[in-house]
C-alpha cells in the first residue's frame, strides 16, 4: 500500500485527482468485526472504492443515490465524496 501512496504523491502535491460520478452498480457493507471497523464499498464507473468515514445510509438507500467521489487512482485514497 505504501508504494501506491508514493506513486500518487505528485498528484497529491498538485491536487490532481480523479472524479467518479454516478449511481453505484454495487454497494457492499461489512459490519465491524473484532479486527476491523465497519466498511462500505461502492462501485461507480467500474471502480470499487471504500468510503471512509462510512456514511449514515443503508445499502438500499446508497444504491439509489448519486455519488461524486474524488480520489487518487493508485492508492484509492479518497479525497472527498458526496452523496446526493
Amino acid at each position: 500500500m505504501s508504494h501506491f501512496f508514493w506513486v500518487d504523491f505528485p498528484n497529491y502535491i498538485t491536487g490532481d485527482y480523479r472524479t467518479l460520478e454516478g449511481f453505484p452498480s454495487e454497494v457492499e457493507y461489512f459490519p465491524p468485526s473484532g479486527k476491523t471497523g465497519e466498511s462500505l464499498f461502492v462501485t461507480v464507473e467500474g471502480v470499487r472504492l471504500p468510503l471512509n468515514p462510512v456514511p449514515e445510509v443503508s445499502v438500499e438507500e446508497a444504491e439509489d443515490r448519486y455519488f461524486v467521489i474524488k480520489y487518487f487512482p493508485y492508492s484509492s485514497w479518497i479525497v472527498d465524496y458526496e452523496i446526493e
Side-chain angles (χ1 to χ4, degrees):
M1 182 69 172
S2 64
H3 167 74
F4 293 121
F5 169 78
W6 290 111
V7 173
D8 276 334
F9 189 71
N11 295 337
Y12 173 78
I13 296 297
T14 62
D16 184 24
Y17 47 79
R18 292 191 181 165
T19 302
L20 295 175
E21 295 188 45
F23 294 95
S25 58
E26 186 175 17
V27 177
E28 301 169 274
Y29 174 76
F30 300 97
S33 69
K35 296 182 182 181
T36 63
E38 66 180 340
S39 302
L40 183 74
F41 288 83
V42 294
T43 303
V44 178
E45 296 180 13
V47 178
R48 181 178 182 257
L49 294 170
L51 296 185
N52 290 311
V54 174
E56 293 185 21
V57 296
S58 69
V59 171
E60 293 78 19
E61 290 174 323
E63 290 173 341
D64 296 329
R65 306 282 290 273
Y66 190 84
F67 284 76
V68 178
I69 305 170
K70 298 173 185 176
Y71 74 103
F72 293 110
Y74 297 103
S75 63
S76 298
W77 184 60
I78 294 179
V79 176
D80 187 30
Y81 71 89
E82 294 179 26
I83 305 172
E84 300 174 359

